[in-house]
């Protein structure tokens, strides 16, 4: 049960700022580790067209002064769509990606997205660590401990481990909004929370709940500044609801080729809510575990509900589980709530004797998340950094690199899912799938990994189409990697 306590207890701390060295060092180390993993993971052909290739094409569009569109995304476009590239603002609302356009223009490589994601995570880790330092004075280790737990938490690791996603942009605003809220800077918290509206359409609900928290904390105050904060909270809550409704009902359908918001059909059905509770309970338990269960002792815990609500009412089973990037936005909120709970005096109980419960100190409350993160670390993506095989190039990887390298710049190419993101920087890339080879304008090259299973049967179907057309010629085939060129 989530608890909203009175805004007077305890009062926000405004002491002199402690040293930034600890949180900064933790954030820097995690940034290097996450970059090393993401870049090597990509170099091993473990990233995919869905989603790194799609986001790479989106950012390339922004860099070229166009609205984001993706040729890869046409593989699962609405029925009847015949265009060359799907407008991505008709899929999800993520104008924040435009911020990467100038960076990509200077460094036109899809790896920019992976580095940017690691940097956004590092910023959130640093801010969360600083929040712990400011709120838990007298405990010099609070900042580094919370930073380590935040950066190694399973939600963060899932984000780093699977390509790039726009939700990475939500982590710093959430961390900054929570920090401002705990510091008592409520209008600043409202501004940071409002930034979530530019990240993704489902975060409008989180921003609205944040507005209600701000309004609740500032209610009944006679101070002029607090009255402004009360108005800012209600403005954020109401504005977020209206903005989210406008995006889902007008903006996204306006860009969508079929005039509708695709994902509305996935949320709210009886199947999504009633089924899969064994998996959903595991997700909730994993979320509680990273904070020792203390997350529910802070009003900030209410910010977790919007994301959990849309996921648990979705009819898509992958939304229920803890292993994908959807949990990343929960991490900075959960650790800010942990800090708030410890500041309010919450402690972890330890049972002794026949049912006797005695409180542990605040240090234990901060050590438990680190212990949980380290316990789960061998199961996390970045643990592969310590395995020798991660740094060796296999014959399949060498064959894939050679085949991709033979594709000329500027051509239209159909590529299988794991090869596609290696070509989006310098070619027009579609997914290798039946029916896409001859869509106008027709592709000139086809490069495919025969073992690539997404979408199911797509690679086999595309290769069968090419084999039946005498206009295609095999240029290279090795270790299951096939490169073909259209000769006429």
């Amino acid at each position: 049960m989530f608890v909203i306590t009175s805004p007077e207890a305890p009062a926000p701390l405004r002491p002199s700022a402690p040293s930034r060295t600890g949180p900064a060092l933790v954030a820097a180390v995690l940034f290097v580790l996450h970059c090393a993993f993401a870049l090597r993971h990509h170099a091993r052909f473990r990233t995919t067209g869905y989603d790194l290739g799609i986001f790479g094409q989106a950012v390339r569009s922004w860099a070229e002064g166009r609205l984001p569109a993706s040729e890869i995304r046409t593989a699962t476009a609405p029925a009847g769509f015949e265009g060359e590239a799907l407008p991505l603002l008709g899929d999800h609302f993520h104008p924040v990606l435009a911020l990467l356009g100038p960076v990509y223009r200077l460094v036109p490589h899809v790896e920019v997205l992976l580095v940017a994601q690691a940097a956004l995570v590092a910023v959130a880790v640093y801010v969360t660590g600083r929040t712990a330092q400011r709120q838990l004075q007298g405990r010099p280790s609070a900042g580094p401990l919370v930073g380590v737990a935040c950066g190694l938490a399973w939600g963060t690791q899932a984000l780093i481990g699977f390509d790039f996603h726009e939700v990475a942009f939500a982590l710093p605003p959430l961390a900054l909004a929570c920090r401002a809220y705990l510091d008592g800077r409520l209008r600043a918290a409202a501004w940071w929370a409002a930034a979530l509206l530019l990240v993704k359409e489902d975060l409008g609900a989180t921003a609205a709940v944040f507005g209600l928290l701000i309004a609740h904390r500032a209610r009944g105050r006679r101070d002029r500044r607090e009255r402004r904060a009360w108005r800012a909270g209600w403005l954020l809550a109401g504005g977020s609801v209206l903005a989210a409704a406008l995006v889902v009902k007008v903006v996204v359908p306006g860009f969508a080729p079929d005039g509708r918001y695709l994902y509305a059909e996935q949320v709210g059905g009886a199947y999504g809510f009633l089924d899969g509770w064994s998996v959903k309970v595991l997700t909730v338990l994993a979320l509680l575990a990273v904070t020792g269960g203390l997350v529910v002792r802070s009003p900030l815990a209410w910010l977790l509900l919007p994301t959990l609500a849309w996921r648990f009412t979705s009819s898509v089973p992958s939304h229920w589980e803890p292993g994908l990037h959807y949990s990343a936005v929960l991490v900075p909120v959960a650790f800010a709530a942990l800090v708030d709970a410890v500041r309010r005096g919450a402690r972890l109980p330890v049972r002794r004797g026949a049912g006797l419960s005695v409180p542990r100190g605040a240090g234990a409350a901060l050590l438990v998340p680190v212990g949980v993160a380290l316990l789960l670390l061998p199961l996390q993506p970045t643990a592969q950094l310590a395995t020798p095989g991660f740094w060796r190039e296999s014959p399949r990887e060498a064959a894939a690199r050679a085949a991709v390298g033979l594709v000329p710049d500027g051509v239209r190419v159909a590529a299988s899912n794991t090869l596609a993101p290696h070509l989006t920087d310098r070619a027009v890339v579609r997914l290798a799938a039946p029916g896409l080879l001859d869509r106008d304008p027709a592709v000139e090259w086809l490069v495919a990994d025969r073992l690539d299973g997404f979408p199911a049967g797509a690679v086999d179907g595309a290769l069968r189409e090419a084999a039946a057309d005498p206009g295609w010629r095999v240029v290279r085939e090795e270790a299951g990697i096939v490169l073909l060129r259209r000769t006429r």
Side-chain angles (χ1 to χ4, degrees), residues 133-180:
Q133 278 188 325
R134 288 176 61 84
Q135 298 299 322
L136 305 177
Q137 294 241 345
R139 301 182 179 90
S141 62
L145 285 176
V146 171
V148 167
C150 181
L152 297 181
W154 55 267
T156 307
Q157 292 291 297
L159 177 67
I160 294 295
F162 180 43
D163 292 11
F164 169 91
H165 297 90
E166 73 275 71
V167 296
F169 278 97
L171 271 59
L174 278 169
L176 288 163
C178 290
R179 173 177 171 175

Side-chain angles (χ1 to χ4, degrees), residues 50 54 57 66-91 252-260 262 428-431 433-441:
Y50 276 69
I54 292 174
Q57 290 177 331
R66 300 180 287 111
L67 290 176
S70 171
E71 293 83 5
I72 293 174
R73 183 63 176 79
T74 59
T76 51
F81 178 75
E82 295 294 338
E84 185 175 12
L86 188 78
L88 290 178
L89 291 179
D91 186 43
V252 173
F255 284 101
D258 57 353
R260 63 192 181 96
L262 171 65
V428 178
V429 184
R430 295 179 191 161
L431 206 63
L436 294 183
L437 298 185
D438 294 318
R439 177 178 289 180
D440 290 333

Side-chain angles (χ1 to χ4, degrees), residues 49 414-421 430-432 446-449 452 454 459:
S416 59
N417 194 37
T418 54
L419 304 181
R430 295 179 191 161
L431 206 63
L446 169 62
V447 57
D449 182 346
D452 204 322
F454 181 86
V459 170

Side-chain angles (χ1 to χ4, degrees), residues 45-101:
F45 293 87
R46 298 302 197 271
T47 55
T48 57
Y50 276 69
D51 294 312
L52 181 59
I54 292 174
F55 283 113
Q57 290 177 331
V59 172
R60 182 178 176 181
S61 298
W62 284 115
E64 295 173 352
R66 300 180 287 111
L67 290 176
S70 171
E71 293 83 5
I72 293 174
R73 183 63 176 79
T74 59
T76 51
F81 178 75
E82 295 294 338
E84 185 175 12
L86 188 78
L88 290 178
L89 291 179
D91 186 43
H92 285 299
F93 186 72
H94 39 49
V96 71
L97 291 178
L99 295 176
L100 291 179

Side-chain angles (χ1 to χ4, degrees), residues 11-29:
L13 299 177
R14 296 177 182 273
S16 58
S19 172
R20 297 178 172 86
T21 303
L25 183 61
V26 169
V29 170

Side-chain angles (χ1 to χ4, degrees), residues 1 10 18 20 52 75 123 137-138 143 295 307-308 322-323 332 338 348 441:
M1 168 177 211
R20 297 178 172 86
L52 181 59
V123 170
Q137 294 241 345
V295 62
T307 296
L308 292 176
L338 169 67
L348 290 171

